[in-house]
Amino acid sequence: MNWYPWLNQAYRQLVESHQQGRGHHALLVHANAGTGADVLIYGLSRWLMCRNRQGMKSCGKCHSCHLMMAGTHPDWHIMSPEKGKTSVGVEAVRQITEKLYSRSQQGGVKIVWLPLTECLTDAAANALLKTLEEPPKHTYFLLECRQPSSLLATLRSRCFYYFLPVPKTESSLYWLQKQLPLISSVDAMTALKLSQGAPVAAEQLLQPEQWQIREQFCQAVKQALDKHDALSLLPQLNHENAPQRLHWLISLLFDAVKWQQQLQRYCINQDQQTLIYQLSSMHTLAVLLQGVDDWMSCRHQLLSVVGVNWELLLVEQLLNWEKQFTSSP
């Protein structure tokens, strides 16, 4: 995995806590997607697994390091949903727990990495809780999460909570422009804001294919506004990446609110000022704010309601939005 410079401080803090005998057996890292929490946890795992540590670094030469670099260490367990599933069930937790209570195959520590703790079912979370309360010796649980409030309070209480902030904007922009030197500063800033300040997510969004998809989406929004035909956006939104595209649409509506309040410099979509102006001139402030609430509710339902009919939900919201086209001057 590539290392990111803004992780250095967090890495030092976490390793030092173990060096000083204060390292917790269960670490809960709270971070936005695309901040590099997975890389931080992998780096800490490498250090914990290493049999010949060089201060704050893993040696990179011992057998454990070689196994970690190859991704085949038998005592490093990744607990993530199986292919085609979105959650980790109780059986997966039980299988890993059985392995943890057996002797380490390499004679060192055992590590369980859970890349997205929110994917645990309630039964799985409760099963994991029992192991966290009475962990096997020399065993570490490294958990990532996006929304700690969605986790069981008892699960959170058994972990050492660590918040990994996004780096400062200036540092992120500098890093982005080193990775993608042909990207304009306006595009880099827009991608960073759309990614809640997470530079890795911004870099992925700025890849030519992804950035073109977003530009096509913005163009489709403009055409829908021109024709007063919100339903024409259905092919764009009824898509496996609907949550991301709804996030783009909500950000445009938020920007239109800012535009009406003479706060253009705070807009997220700095590269779409013509579209933002068009949105702001078509709707009153009240209608824009109602649109934001409606689309946020729609997005929440798509993400949280099991078995929801995406197409019907989107059609209903698009038709409601289309009615609002004529409710403002």
Side-chain angles (χ1 to χ4, degrees):
M1 290 186 179
N2 293 327
W3 187 256
Y4 306 119
W6 59 85
L7 299 177
N8 290 338
Q9 181 179 358
Y11 177 81
R12 284 195 297 269
Q13 289 175 344
L14 293 173
V15 169
E16 282 178 358
S17 69
H18 285 280
Q19 289 177 324
Q20 296 167 6
R22 297 182 292 103
H24 201 282
H25 73 276
L27 173 68
L28 178 63
V29 179
H30 173 201
N32 289 344
T35 308
D38 55 337
V39 177
L40 174 65
I41 285 179
Y42 176 74
L44 178 60
S45 298
R46 284 276 308 272
W47 186 84
L48 289 169
M49 285 290 195
C50 181
R51 307 305 298 274
N52 186 28
R53 299 167 186 160
Q54 307 296 308
M56 300 192 74
K57 296 182 179 181
S58 53
C59 70
K61 298 178 180 179
C62 68
H63 187 51
S64 283
C65 280
H66 287 159
L67 289 173
M68 284 295 291
M69 287 187 284
T72 57
H73 201 299
D75 297 317
W76 190 53
H77 308 285
I78 302 175
M79 194 156 52
S80 57
E82 296 178 2
K83 187 175 182 180
K85 295 185 178 181
T86 59
S87 61
V88 173
V90 64
E91 188 57 35
V93 174
R94 288 172 179 164
Q95 289 176 1
I96 285 183
T97 300
E98 289 178 5
K99 295 177 182 178
L100 297 179
Y101 280 99
S102 60
R103 188 177 182 277
S104 166
Q105 293 192 40
Q106 293 298 312
V109 305
K110 291 164 284 186
I111 294 176
V112 175
W113 173 35
L114 184 54
L116 188 62
T117 310
E118 290 92 332
C119 70
L120 288 171
T121 63
D122 288 345
N126 280 308
L128 180 62
L129 179 62
K130 295 177 183 178
T131 309
L132 290 178
E133 289 172 340
E134 299 180 9
K137 290 183 178 180
H138 311 302
T139 300
Y140 296 95
F141 297 87
L142 306 179
L143 289 71
E144 290 181 58
C145 71
R146 308 284 180 259
Q147 297 178 319
S149 60
S150 67
L151 306 179
L152 290 177
T154 47
L155 182 65
R156 298 199 308 269
S157 68
R158 298 299 187 274
C159 301
F160 176 76
Y161 172 83
Y162 188 91
F163 177 63
L164 178 65
V166 297
K168 292 182 179 179
T169 301
E170 296 77 10
S171 300
S172 295
L173 288 174
Y174 176 75
W175 181 82
L176 277 174
Q177 290 175 333
K178 281 189 67 177
Q179 305 304 308
L180 303 166
L182 299 180
I183 295 297
S184 72
S185 58
V186 171
D187 286 355
M189 178 61 82
T190 297
L192 193 61
K193 288 185 174 183
L194 284 170
S195 306
Q196 291 80 48
V200 181
E203 182 195 21
Q204 293 169 352
L205 178 57
L206 284 167
Q207 296 303 313
E209 184 178 352
Q210 286 300 310
W211 198 242
Q212 184 179 15
I213 289 172
R214 176 183 165 271
E215 289 179 341
Q216 290 171 348
F217 176 79
C218 291
Q219 183 62 32
V221 173
K222 182 182 184 308
Q223 292 173 357
L225 294 175
D226 289 340
K227 298 177 182 179
H228 285 211
D229 181 14
L231 204 57
S232 66
L233 282 175
L234 183 61
Q236 286 282 340
L237 294 176
N238 190 23
H239 190 277
E240 61 181 3
N241 288 329
Q244 181 184 44
R245 297 182 183 199
L246 288 175
H247 169 62
W248 294 343
L249 179 58
I250 292 165
S251 72
L252 288 167
L253 290 169
F254 263 127
D255 283 349
V257 170
K258 295 170 191 174
W259 195 285
Q260 285 197 5
Q261 303 301 306
Q262 306 298 313
L263 297 172
Q264 289 90 334
R265 65 194 183 100
Y266 294 106
C267 287
I268 294 172
N269 300 275
Q270 292 288 335
D271 64 332
Q272 296 293 331
Q273 294 194 24
T274 301
L275 177 54
I276 296 168
Y277 172 74
Q278 185 177 5
L279 274 167
S280 69
S281 61
M282 288 183 67
H283 300 308
T284 64
L285 180 60
V287 170
L288 285 171
L289 291 173
Q290 184 61 53
V292 168
D293 286 344
D294 291 345
W295 281 112
M296 288 182 70
S297 175
C298 178
R299 185 174 186 272
H300 177 71
Q301 290 181 69
L302 287 179
L303 290 170
S304 61
V305 179
V306 177
V308 66
N309 188 312
W310 284 30
E311 185 171 2
L312 287 179
L313 183 64
L314 290 167
V315 166
E316 181 181 10
Q317 176 54 31
L318 285 167
L319 290 174
N320 287 338
W321 193 36
E322 188 172 301
K323 291 178 184 177
Q324 295 173 354
F325 286 171
T326 57
S327 67
S328 298

